Amino acid sequence: MSMSDSDTSSQGSDYKNFRQVIRDRLLYEMLRSAKSKDSKSAWKVLIMDKLTVKIMSYACKMADITEEGVSLVEDIYKRRQPLPSMDAIYFIQPTKENVVMFLSDMAGKSPLYRKAFVFFSSPIAKELVNHIKRDSSVLSRIGALREMNLEFFAIDSQGFITDNERALEELYGDDEGSRKGSLCLNEMANRIATVFASLREFPLVRYRAAKSLDPTTMTTFRDLIPTKLAAGVWNSLTKYKSTLPHFPQTETCELLIVDRSVDQIAPIIHEWTYDAMCHDLLNMDGNKYVHEVPGKAGGPPEKKDVLLEDHDPIWLELRHAHIADASERLHEKMTNFVSKNKAAQMHQGSRDGGQLSTRDLQKMVQALPQYSEQIEKLSLHVDIAGKLNRIIRESSLKEIGQLEQDLVFGDAGTKDLINFLRVHQDVTRESKLRLLMIYASVHPEKFESDKLSKLMELARLPQDDMNAVYNMRLLEGSTDNKKSSLGPFSLKFDVHKKKHASRKDRTDQASTWQLSRFYPMIEELVEKLNKGELPKNDYPCMNDPSPTFHGTSQSASIQANQVSTPHSMRSRRTATWARPRNSDDGYSSDSILRHASSDFKKMGQRIFVFIVGGATRSELRACHKLSTKLKREVVLGSSSIDDPPQFITKLKLLTADELSLDDLQI
């Protein structure tokens, strides 16, 4: 079982981004390789299981699959029509159930298909291979039997998930250290390793170390999660190193494994970019948005499912822009379109210069059929931005967002939160809960007093919301924040001298939009990793780097230093809701589109960050931003990607029963 010879590592001359590599492997290495010269039909059947369907759908469009000769896509567990003149491609997990189903399809005198090309998503056990080999009638009908080593979802051009949606519950819940937790870590480790097998990258593996490995403090299973996961990934990688042809023997990239304890605030705080706001506020199902368009001939409105993905150029341009910036840009696009088109101006004139409604845009589509796709895309995003701005206005989100960020940066404290809860009693329950969760994260010592319970009474939060706040403790890890029980003599003499903050303002950031001070902690960690400044005690290596490894070499540091630093410092309290139109921090949406294609060709070695327990949109955006800044493709991986409502629901399911190290088998 072998892999393709095509060079996909970051050392290759023809550089492709993360998702392009995955797409190419599925389309060309798998589907195209199944072409049979002696086949009577050029068309093939593609058979997948529940997981591999998702792997394929995240990386490829149906049109791509059809172009490679697939006329029918089938579920391996559904009853299927025999097509004995056609070849079949099986893309399946290497489970006993799947192998049994495959054998029943192809065995006997009347197989369902002429020939089978079988591709497994991860390494298959020897006993299952032997099980296949024992059936001589099937053996002669197998055109290929290979391991693709591709068992993750490429959710973004620089992001993937391992589809462990219940990782938070299974690893941090009351049953921690159980068989469920170990199985979850093993599966996650194997799936992370397939990322490196797919890209043919061999990483320097670093991880967040447990902080309390000393005789006086109890070390829990939770503390050891990154350590155990790093060990699992390393075990799989060493197997690939010895079994996969063309797998690198020295390090080609860097992998940093952390968990949610490095940043409890990122999954909860309101993030103000267009992408994050859509997923946070619009009840989207994954990337699917339900768009209401006016009905034909004055009928009732029609609902249309729209995918907010990379194939939409407006989405691609605006997704990482601040909502105020995105709204301005959409207004400019619409104004430019109207000013250049007489028919559109006629419709605009009938509105007396007011803003275009969705119905006006529908009329423009009918009047200008040649621009229908362009107008429909604009109409969609004008509608979405309008909805978001209405929610922001009606929910007092600017005031909430300001307090959230002031709490994080130490510019607000307990009194400010109490005053806000008293004055804004009509604020939604979820917004109050998120404020309290941020407060609890910045002030973990309040768990020991009755301060939190009094705040929750003031906010009128029910018990299950209170559980979410108290369960924040499970994500603390054993950090320095726990050193709060210093006894009755720990008088706070420096209370006015030192602010209680969980973030420092970034002095290297240009003055930007209000409510965009917040940044996820992985931004700081990746920058330190890139400079070679990540502390070895806190983030040890699984493997000592080879002498030839240049991930943190002098040349990389020089390259990083050559990136121009914005000369103006970020304002402490930016009062404006707008940024000068001529500013270009190298990460505006125009800059991305302008530089993306050329920049990737000059990229250095990849950096991978994996977060156990769910990643956020802000962390994914940070990886895009850092790729531009550091000139190295930064890829984010996680067990899942969670929007605040999802993450809070998961936190409510946790409870706080601790296990000691003696109860565990490491």
Side-chain angles (χ1 to χ4, degrees), residues 427-433 436 452-453 455-470 648 652:
V427 162
T428 65
R429 173 181 148 192
E430 187 194 294
S431 292
K432 287 188 280 191
L433 173 59
L436 283 174
L452 263 180
S453 56
L455 281 168
M456 285 187 272
E457 281 174 31
L458 179 62
R460 296 176 187 170
L461 292 181
Q463 183 60 48
D464 67 327
D465 283 357
M466 291 169 75
N467 288 345
V469 179
Y470 281 110
I648 291 166
K652 288 178 183 179

PDB file of all heavy atoms in Angstrom, residues 427-433 436 452-453 455-470 648 652:
ATOM      1  N   VAL A 427     -30.901  42.749  28.568  1.00  0.00           N
ATOM      2  CA  VAL A 427     -29.906  42.054  27.746  1.00  0.00           C
ATOM      3  C   VAL A 427     -30.205  40.559  27.756  1.00  0.00           C
ATOM      4  O   VAL A 427     -30.679  40.020  28.753  1.00  0.00           O
ATOM      5  CB  VAL A 427     -28.475  42.335  28.292  1.00  0.00           C
ATOM      6  CG1 VAL A 427     -27.472  41.322  27.791  1.00  0.00           C
ATOM      7  CG2 VAL A 427     -28.029  43.727  27.891  1.00  0.00           C
ATOM      8  N   THR A 428     -29.952  39.870  26.643  1.00  0.00           N
ATOM      9  CA  THR A 428     -30.293  38.446  26.536  1.00  0.00           C
ATOM     10  C   THR A 428     -29.546  37.619  27.586  1.00  0.00           C
ATOM     11  O   THR A 428     -28.441  37.971  28.005  1.00  0.00           O
ATOM     12  CB  THR A 428     -29.949  37.869  25.147  1.00  0.00           C
ATOM     13  OG1 THR A 428     -28.536  37.902  24.961  1.00  0.00           O
ATOM     14  CG2 THR A 428     -30.645  38.633  24.042  1.00  0.00           C
ATOM     15  N   ARG A 429     -30.157  36.501  27.938  1.00  0.00           N
ATOM     16  CA  ARG A 429     -29.579  35.586  28.919  1.00  0.00           C
ATOM     17  C   ARG A 429     -28.203  35.099  28.450  1.00  0.00           C
ATOM     18  O   ARG A 429     -27.266  35.009  29.228  1.00  0.00           O
ATOM     19  CB  ARG A 429     -30.563  34.419  29.068  1.00  0.00           C
ATOM     20  CG  ARG A 429     -30.090  33.275  29.925  1.00  0.00           C
ATOM     21  CD  ARG A 429     -31.170  32.201  29.945  1.00  0.00           C
ATOM     22  NE  ARG A 429     -30.594  30.873  30.051  1.00  0.00           N
ATOM     23  CZ  ARG A 429     -31.285  29.760  29.868  1.00  0.00           C
ATOM     24  NH1 ARG A 429     -32.568  29.818  29.573  1.00  0.00           N
ATOM     25  NH2 ARG A 429     -30.695  28.586  29.988  1.00  0.00           N
ATOM     26  N   GLU A 430     -28.086  34.806  27.151  1.00  0.00           N
ATOM     27  CA  GLU A 430     -26.811  34.307  26.629  1.00  0.00           C
ATOM     28  C   GLU A 430     -25.706  35.357  26.757  1.00  0.00           C
ATOM     29  O   GLU A 430     -24.574  35.040  27.122  1.00  0.00           O
ATOM     30  CB  GLU A 430     -26.957  33.882  25.161  1.00  0.00           C
ATOM     31  CG  GLU A 430     -25.705  33.207  24.626  1.00  0.00           C
ATOM     32  CD  GLU A 430     -25.677  33.079  23.112  1.00  0.00           C
ATOM     33  OE1 GLU A 430     -26.521  32.336  22.568  1.00  0.00           O
ATOM     34  OE2 GLU A 430     -24.822  33.711  22.476  1.00  0.00           O
ATOM     35  N   SER A 431     -26.029  36.624  26.484  1.00  0.00           N
ATOM     36  CA  SER A 431     -25.023  37.690  26.590  1.00  0.00           C
ATOM     37  C   SER A 431     -24.552  37.859  28.025  1.00  0.00           C
ATOM     38  O   SER A 431     -23.359  38.048  28.282  1.00  0.00           O
ATOM     39  CB  SER A 431     -25.594  39.011  26.065  1.00  0.00           C
ATOM     40  OG  SER A 431     -25.804  38.933  24.670  1.00  0.00           O
ATOM     41  N   LYS A 432     -25.495  37.787  28.971  1.00  0.00           N
ATOM     42  CA  LYS A 432     -25.115  37.895  30.393  1.00  0.00           C
ATOM     43  C   LYS A 432     -24.237  36.714  30.804  1.00  0.00           C
ATOM     44  O   LYS A 432     -23.253  36.879  31.534  1.00  0.00           O
ATOM     45  CB  LYS A 432     -26.378  37.962  31.270  1.00  0.00           C
ATOM     46  CG  LYS A 432     -27.110  39.298  31.164  1.00  0.00           C
ATOM     47  CD  LYS A 432     -28.227  39.421  32.175  1.00  0.00           C
ATOM     48  CE  LYS A 432     -29.472  38.704  31.755  1.00  0.00           C
ATOM     49  NZ  LYS A 432     -30.644  39.025  32.592  1.00  0.00           N
ATOM     50  N   LEU A 433     -24.611  35.527  30.317  1.00  0.00           N
ATOM     51  CA  LEU A 433     -23.832  34.328  30.632  1.00  0.00           C
ATOM     52  C   LEU A 433     -22.399  34.461  30.103  1.00  0.00           C
ATOM     53  O   LEU A 433     -21.433  34.156  30.803  1.00  0.00           O
ATOM     54  CB  LEU A 433     -24.513  33.092  30.033  1.00  0.00           C
ATOM     55  CG  LEU A 433     -23.744  31.766  30.126  1.00  0.00           C
ATOM     56  CD1 LEU A 433     -23.443  31.415  31.574  1.00  0.00           C
ATOM     57  CD2 LEU A 433     -24.535  30.640  29.462  1.00  0.00           C
ATOM     58  N   LEU A 436     -20.321  36.737  32.249  1.00  0.00           N
ATOM     59  CA  LEU A 436     -19.917  36.096  33.506  1.00  0.00           C
ATOM     60  C   LEU A 436     -18.829  35.049  33.285  1.00  0.00           C
ATOM     61  O   LEU A 436     -17.944  34.875  34.119  1.00  0.00           O
ATOM     62  CB  LEU A 436     -21.127  35.463  34.187  1.00  0.00           C
ATOM     63  CG  LEU A 436     -22.049  36.449  34.912  1.00  0.00           C
ATOM     64  CD1 LEU A 436     -23.285  35.737  35.435  1.00  0.00           C
ATOM     65  CD2 LEU A 436     -21.325  37.119  36.071  1.00  0.00           C
ATOM     66  N   LEU A 452     -19.135  35.006  42.651  1.00  0.00           N
ATOM     67  CA  LEU A 452     -19.728  34.536  41.396  1.00  0.00           C
ATOM     68  C   LEU A 452     -21.207  34.218  41.555  1.00  0.00           C
ATOM     69  O   LEU A 452     -22.017  34.588  40.709  1.00  0.00           O
ATOM     70  CB  LEU A 452     -18.990  33.290  40.896  1.00  0.00           C
ATOM     71  CG  LEU A 452     -17.911  33.508  39.837  1.00  0.00           C
ATOM     72  CD1 LEU A 452     -17.285  32.185  39.451  1.00  0.00           C
ATOM     73  CD2 LEU A 452     -18.476  34.174  38.594  1.00  0.00           C
ATOM     74  N   SER A 453     -21.548  33.538  42.645  1.00  0.00           N
ATOM     75  CA  SER A 453     -22.958  33.171  42.830  1.00  0.00           C
ATOM     76  C   SER A 453     -23.829  34.415  42.983  1.00  0.00           C
ATOM     77  O   SER A 453     -24.957  34.468  42.482  1.00  0.00           O
ATOM     78  CB  SER A 453     -23.128  32.237  44.027  1.00  0.00           C
ATOM     79  OG  SER A 453     -22.586  32.826  45.192  1.00  0.00           O
ATOM     80  N   LEU A 455     -23.200  37.356  41.610  1.00  0.00           N
ATOM     81  CA  LEU A 455     -23.303  37.941  40.266  1.00  0.00           C
ATOM     82  C   LEU A 455     -24.335  37.193  39.427  1.00  0.00           C
ATOM     83  O   LEU A 455     -25.109  37.800  38.682  1.00  0.00           O
ATOM     84  CB  LEU A 455     -21.940  37.898  39.560  1.00  0.00           C
ATOM     85  CG  LEU A 455     -20.931  38.981  39.965  1.00  0.00           C
ATOM     86  CD1 LEU A 455     -19.550  38.653  39.417  1.00  0.00           C
ATOM     87  CD2 LEU A 455     -21.377  40.351  39.471  1.00  0.00           C
ATOM     88  N   MET A 456     -24.371  35.867  39.571  1.00  0.00           N
ATOM     89  CA  MET A 456     -25.326  35.075  38.797  1.00  0.00           C
ATOM     90  C   MET A 456     -26.760  35.316  39.267  1.00  0.00           C
ATOM     91  O   MET A 456     -27.688  35.299  38.469  1.00  0.00           O
ATOM     92  CB  MET A 456     -24.946  33.602  38.849  1.00  0.00           C
ATOM     93  CG  MET A 456     -23.743  33.295  37.948  1.00  0.00           C
ATOM     94  SD  MET A 456     -23.342  31.559  37.799  1.00  0.00           S
ATOM     95  CE  MET A 456     -22.243  31.358  39.183  1.00  0.00           C
ATOM     96  N   GLU A 457     -26.906  35.564  40.562  1.00  0.00           N
ATOM     97  CA  GLU A 457     -28.238  35.927  41.080  1.00  0.00           C
ATOM     98  C   GLU A 457     -28.675  37.261  40.496  1.00  0.00           C
ATOM     99  O   GLU A 457     -29.825  37.435  40.094  1.00  0.00           O
ATOM    100  CB  GLU A 457     -28.201  36.020  42.616  1.00  0.00           C
ATOM    101  CG  GLU A 457     -28.256  34.673  43.316  1.00  0.00           C
ATOM    102  CD  GLU A 457     -28.075  34.823  44.828  1.00  0.00           C
ATOM    103  OE1 GLU A 457     -28.477  35.867  45.384  1.00  0.00           O
ATOM    104  OE2 GLU A 457     -27.495  33.903  45.436  1.00  0.00           O
ATOM    105  N   LEU A 458     -27.740  38.208  40.461  1.00  0.00           N
ATOM    106  CA  LEU A 458     -28.037  39.530  39.897  1.00  0.00           C
ATOM    107  C   LEU A 458     -28.415  39.415  38.415  1.00  0.00           C
ATOM    108  O   LEU A 458     -29.318  40.107  37.938  1.00  0.00           O
ATOM    109  CB  LEU A 458     -26.806  40.441  40.058  1.00  0.00           C
ATOM    110  CG  LEU A 458     -26.917  41.869  39.512  1.00  0.00           C
ATOM    111  CD1 LEU A 458     -28.024  42.649  40.219  1.00  0.00           C
ATOM    112  CD2 LEU A 458     -25.586  42.597  39.650  1.00  0.00           C
ATOM    113  N   ALA A 459     -27.733  38.513  37.692  1.00  0.00           N
ATOM    114  CA  ALA A 459     -28.005  38.325  36.261  1.00  0.00           C
ATOM    115  C   ALA A 459     -29.252  37.476  36.022  1.00  0.00           C
ATOM    116  O   ALA A 459     -29.717  37.353  34.891  1.00  0.00           O
ATOM    117  CB  ALA A 459     -26.802  37.673  35.593  1.00  0.00           C
ATOM    118  N   ARG A 460     -29.792  36.877  37.106  1.00  0.00           N
ATOM    119  CA  ARG A 460     -30.980  36.020  37.042  1.00  0.00           C
ATOM    120  C   ARG A 460     -30.769  34.843  36.087  1.00  0.00           C
ATOM    121  O   ARG A 460     -31.604  34.549  35.220  1.00  0.00           O
ATOM    122  CB  ARG A 460     -32.210  36.830  36.601  1.00  0.00           C
ATOM    123  CG  ARG A 460     -32.600  37.903  37.581  1.00  0.00           C
ATOM    124  CD  ARG A 460     -33.735  38.740  37.070  1.00  0.00           C
ATOM    125  NE  ARG A 460     -33.993  39.874  37.929  1.00  0.00           N
ATOM    126  CZ  ARG A 460     -34.808  40.874  37.614  1.00  0.00           C
ATOM    127  NH1 ARG A 460     -35.442  40.869  36.461  1.00  0.00           N
ATOM    128  NH2 ARG A 460     -35.006  41.878  38.451  1.00  0.00           N
ATOM    129  N   LEU A 461     -29.637  34.178  36.259  1.00  0.00           N
ATOM    130  CA  LEU A 461     -29.323  33.034  35.404  1.00  0.00           C
ATOM    131  C   LEU A 461     -29.808  31.740  36.048  1.00  0.00           C
ATOM    132  O   LEU A 461     -29.636  31.538  37.248  1.00  0.00           O
ATOM    133  CB  LEU A 461     -27.813  32.940  35.160  1.00  0.00           C
ATOM    134  CG  LEU A 461     -27.186  34.052  34.313  1.00  0.00           C
ATOM    135  CD1 LEU A 461     -25.695  33.811  34.151  1.00  0.00           C
ATOM    136  CD2 LEU A 461     -27.841  34.153  32.946  1.00  0.00           C
ATOM    137  N   PRO A 462     -30.387  30.824  35.254  1.00  0.00           N
ATOM    138  CA  PRO A 462     -30.839  29.538  35.808  1.00  0.00           C
ATOM    139  C   PRO A 462     -29.653  28.613  36.104  1.00  0.00           C
ATOM    140  O   PRO A 462     -28.518  28.891  35.729  1.00  0.00           O
ATOM    141  CB  PRO A 462     -31.711  28.958  34.685  1.00  0.00           C
ATOM    142  CG  PRO A 462     -31.231  29.619  33.443  1.00  0.00           C
ATOM    143  CD  PRO A 462     -30.733  30.978  33.842  1.00  0.00           C
ATOM    144  N   GLN A 463     -29.945  27.468  36.720  1.00  0.00           N
ATOM    145  CA  GLN A 463     -28.901  26.554  37.191  1.00  0.00           C
ATOM    146  C   GLN A 463     -28.000  26.040  36.070  1.00  0.00           C
ATOM    147  O   GLN A 463     -26.789  25.935  36.240  1.00  0.00           O
ATOM    148  CB  GLN A 463     -29.553  25.369  37.919  1.00  0.00           C
ATOM    149  CG  GLN A 463     -28.555  24.386  38.529  1.00  0.00           C
ATOM    150  CD  GLN A 463     -27.634  25.029  39.568  1.00  0.00           C
ATOM    151  OE1 GLN A 463     -28.111  25.736  40.452  1.00  0.00           O
ATOM    152  NE2 GLN A 463     -26.331  24.797  39.454  1.00  0.00           N
ATOM    153  N   ASP A 464     -28.582  25.681  34.906  1.00  0.00           N
ATOM    154  CA  ASP A 464     -27.729  25.096  33.864  1.00  0.00           C
ATOM    155  C   ASP A 464     -26.745  26.127  33.310  1.00  0.00           C
ATOM    156  O   ASP A 464     -25.629  25.784  32.905  1.00  0.00           O
ATOM    157  CB  ASP A 464     -28.555  24.448  32.742  1.00  0.00           C
ATOM    158  CG  ASP A 464     -29.344  25.459  31.929  1.00  0.00           C
ATOM    159  OD1 ASP A 464     -29.778  26.470  32.515  1.00  0.00           O
ATOM    160  OD2 ASP A 464     -29.533  25.238  30.715  1.00  0.00           O
ATOM    161  N   ASP A 465     -27.128  27.427  33.329  1.00  0.00           N
ATOM    162  CA  ASP A 465     -26.183  28.477  32.936  1.00  0.00           C
ATOM    163  C   ASP A 465     -25.069  28.593  33.979  1.00  0.00           C
ATOM    164  O   ASP A 465     -23.903  28.786  33.639  1.00  0.00           O
ATOM    165  CB  ASP A 465     -26.901  29.826  32.807  1.00  0.00           C
ATOM    166  CG  ASP A 465     -27.713  29.925  31.513  1.00  0.00           C
ATOM    167  OD1 ASP A 465     -27.658  28.960  30.728  1.00  0.00           O
ATOM    168  OD2 ASP A 465     -28.391  30.938  31.298  1.00  0.00           O
ATOM    169  N   MET A 466     -25.460  28.480  35.239  1.00  0.00           N
ATOM    170  CA  MET A 466     -24.461  28.543  36.315  1.00  0.00           C
ATOM    171  C   MET A 466     -23.462  27.388  36.188  1.00  0.00           C
ATOM    172  O   MET A 466     -22.268  27.543  36.443  1.00  0.00           O
ATOM    173  CB  MET A 466     -25.157  28.510  37.680  1.00  0.00           C
ATOM    174  CG  MET A 466     -25.952  29.786  37.954  1.00  0.00           C
ATOM    175  SD  MET A 466     -27.032  29.673  39.405  1.00  0.00           S
ATOM    176  CE  MET A 466     -25.853  29.787  40.741  1.00  0.00           C
ATOM    177  N   ASN A 467     -23.955  26.221  35.736  1.00  0.00           N
ATOM    178  CA  ASN A 467     -23.057  25.079  35.517  1.00  0.00           C
ATOM    179  C   ASN A 467     -21.975  25.426  34.500  1.00  0.00           C
ATOM    180  O   ASN A 467     -20.811  25.058  34.666  1.00  0.00           O
ATOM    181  CB  ASN A 467     -23.851  23.863  35.004  1.00  0.00           C
ATOM    182  CG  ASN A 467     -24.707  23.235  36.078  1.00  0.00           C
ATOM    183  OD1 ASN A 467     -24.519  23.506  37.265  1.00  0.00           O
ATOM    184  ND2 ASN A 467     -25.661  22.411  35.676  1.00  0.00           N
ATOM    185  N   ALA A 468     -22.375  26.123  33.431  1.00  0.00           N
ATOM    186  CA  ALA A 468     -21.410  26.488  32.389  1.00  0.00           C
ATOM    187  C   ALA A 468     -20.315  27.380  32.961  1.00  0.00           C
ATOM    188  O   ALA A 468     -19.136  27.222  32.639  1.00  0.00           O
ATOM    189  CB  ALA A 468     -22.117  27.196  31.234  1.00  0.00           C
ATOM    190  N   VAL A 469     -20.690  28.316  33.846  1.00  0.00           N
ATOM    191  CA  VAL A 469     -19.704  29.217  34.459  1.00  0.00           C
ATOM    192  C   VAL A 469     -18.761  28.426  35.365  1.00  0.00           C
ATOM    193  O   VAL A 469     -17.542  28.542  35.273  1.00  0.00           O
ATOM    194  CB  VAL A 469     -20.392  30.350  35.258  1.00  0.00           C
ATOM    195  CG1 VAL A 469     -19.351  31.263  35.897  1.00  0.00           C
ATOM    196  CG2 VAL A 469     -21.301  31.170  34.342  1.00  0.00           C
ATOM    197  N   TYR A 470     -19.337  27.578  36.230  1.00  0.00           N
ATOM    198  CA  TYR A 470     -18.502  26.813  37.167  1.00  0.00           C
ATOM    199  C   TYR A 470     -17.625  25.779  36.455  1.00  0.00           C
ATOM    200  O   TYR A 470     -16.527  25.466  36.911  1.00  0.00           O
ATOM    201  CB  TYR A 470     -19.364  26.152  38.239  1.00  0.00           C
ATOM    202  CG  TYR A 470     -19.770  27.121  39.315  1.00  0.00           C
ATOM    203  CD1 TYR A 470     -21.090  27.545  39.442  1.00  0.00           C
ATOM    204  CD2 TYR A 470     -18.820  27.656  40.196  1.00  0.00           C
ATOM    205  CE1 TYR A 470     -21.452  28.461  40.428  1.00  0.00           C
ATOM    206  CE2 TYR A 470     -19.179  28.570  41.176  1.00  0.00           C
ATOM    207  CZ  TYR A 470     -20.485  28.973  41.287  1.00  0.00           C
ATOM    208  OH  TYR A 470     -20.836  29.884  42.246  1.00  0.00           O
ATOM    209  N   ILE A 648     -20.774  26.746  24.572  1.00  0.00           N
ATOM    210  CA  ILE A 648     -21.423  26.919  25.877  1.00  0.00           C
ATOM    211  C   ILE A 648     -22.300  25.700  26.197  1.00  0.00           C
ATOM    212  O   ILE A 648     -22.311  25.204  27.325  1.00  0.00           O
ATOM    213  CB  ILE A 648     -22.241  28.232  25.916  1.00  0.00           C
ATOM    214  CG1 ILE A 648     -21.276  29.434  25.885  1.00  0.00           C
ATOM    215  CG2 ILE A 648     -23.131  28.300  27.146  1.00  0.00           C
ATOM    216  CD1 ILE A 648     -21.937  30.766  25.588  1.00  0.00           C
ATOM    217  N   LYS A 652     -21.893  23.075  29.457  1.00  0.00           N
ATOM    218  CA  LYS A 652     -22.966  22.766  30.414  1.00  0.00           C
ATOM    219  C   LYS A 652     -23.032  21.270  30.722  1.00  0.00           C
ATOM    220  O   LYS A 652     -23.533  20.870  31.772  1.00  0.00           O
ATOM    221  CB  LYS A 652     -24.321  23.239  29.863  1.00  0.00           C
ATOM    222  CG  LYS A 652     -24.491  24.751  29.872  1.00  0.00           C
ATOM    223  CD  LYS A 652     -25.821  25.167  29.277  1.00  0.00           C
ATOM    224  CE  LYS A 652     -25.950  26.681  29.225  1.00  0.00           C
ATOM    225  NZ  LYS A 652     -27.229  27.123  28.640  1.00  0.00           N
TER     226      LYS A 652
END
